[in-house]
Amino acid sequence: MNTPPQTQPQKRPIIFSAMQPTSGSGGGLTIGNYIGALKNWVELQKDYDCVYGVVDLHALTIHPEPAALRKQTLDVAAMYIASGIDPEKSLVFLQSHVPAHAQCAWLLNCFASMGECQKMTQFKEKSEKHSARVGLFTYPVLQAADILLYQANLVPVGEDQKQHLELSRNLAERFNHHYSETFTVPEVFIPKVGARVMSLQDPTKKMSKSDENPKATIFLTDSADEIRNKIKRAVTDSGSEIRSGDDRPALTNLLELYGVATGTSVEAAEQHFLGKGYAEFKAELADAMVAMVEPITKRFHAIRNDKAALNAILKKGAEEANRRAMRTLRKAYKKMGLVELE
Ligand code: AMP
Ligand code: TRP
């Protein structure tokens, strides 16, 4: 009797994304990181082969305090999992555990031009604040290595990373053209909803984990009381209507947050709050924020307190990431003419 043909499991497109464990003065991840990135990363697990790194080598460019870097690297990994990234489905690892990232960055450094690195907005901005190190200059080349090593098809990032992604694409194309097809040329993917969560104190500025004003940012580890207080003190626009619009940046941001946290549209939220005042709106928004953040915080503490389990996840992630990254690195070495011993 004929056995039915073995159906090959369909190869799913590959996603790569990553976050730095520290930026500026440090602090943990924010609801901006969750809404703008992690929430989408979790969704993408359904249809893609996802690789999520914690890019600790990138963080070294601004000289974080070693103990803080160590702590925050593990915090970010735990927060990935607390947000819903399933290490059984997706690859979660620390960049410094996979030497191929630094090795591949070197290969790509030999392809990147001074000019294209010099024109990167992030480099220009950061080199004004810190005395410019070479690491900051080649930061986007290391980022390209992160992505290209996993042959990623799609890279979900915030708007601000578009330029870095363009460099990754150019480097991949240049390498492929010079030798032969080696790296997949990745596409940038910028999610529309929640692409920019703004500061609660200045709605023209992005909410950031390194904001000097702690009232501006809701951290994923904030208590319910802290969240309620920050929402209560959030700046609003003049007038008393709960309405969004270009002339109402503060309310637009708060209504978008309400929409994301309750799964409703901004229009539906405006309808819901028609004729109601700021106090009532803020109380409901605070409830919705707490309901969104609290389960994440709880899972985060549970994961962070089980050191052995987190270690095991990161060890397994590193092994698999090394296996996949080395396959690409070896291919690139060979094409470039580096000797491989039998
Ligand atoms: P960062 O915290 O700047 O290192 O960013 C890590 C990831 O979170 C990137 O994908 C950002 O685009 C995203 N992200 C950070 N802050 C926000 C924000 N305020 N709104 C939306 N996304 C954000
Ligand atoms: N530069 C990115 C940021 O600041 C972090 C990052 C490093 C990254 N390597 C990456 C993002 C690879 C996407 C893919 O947010």
Side-chain angles (χ1 to χ4, degrees), residues 19-20 32-33 36-37 157-158 160 194-197 206-207 209:
M19 273 188 213
Q20 278 195 78
N33 295 123
V157 282
D160 58 331
R196 255 168 102 79
V197 176
K206 209 173 103 167
M207 183 182 283
K209 54 191 170 202

Side-chain angles (χ1 to χ4, degrees), residues 54-112:
V54 181
V55 286
D56 48 359
L57 296 174
H58 276 107
L60 297 178
T61 50
I62 52 161
H63 303 162
E65 209 263 303
L69 177 61
R70 211 159 9 241
K71 175 185 174 296
Q72 284 170 25
T73 301
L74 294 172
D75 282 353
V76 171
M79 204 51 100
Y80 281 8
I81 298 160
S83 299
I85 289 163
D86 178 354
E88 295 292 323
K89 280 192 206 146
S90 302
L91 192 48
V92 177
F93 73 101
L94 308 184
Q95 185 189 33
S96 63
H97 290 177
V98 185
H101 288 245
Q103 294 168 302
C104 183
W106 175 253
L107 306 187
L108 298 175
N109 269 328
C110 298
F111 271 86

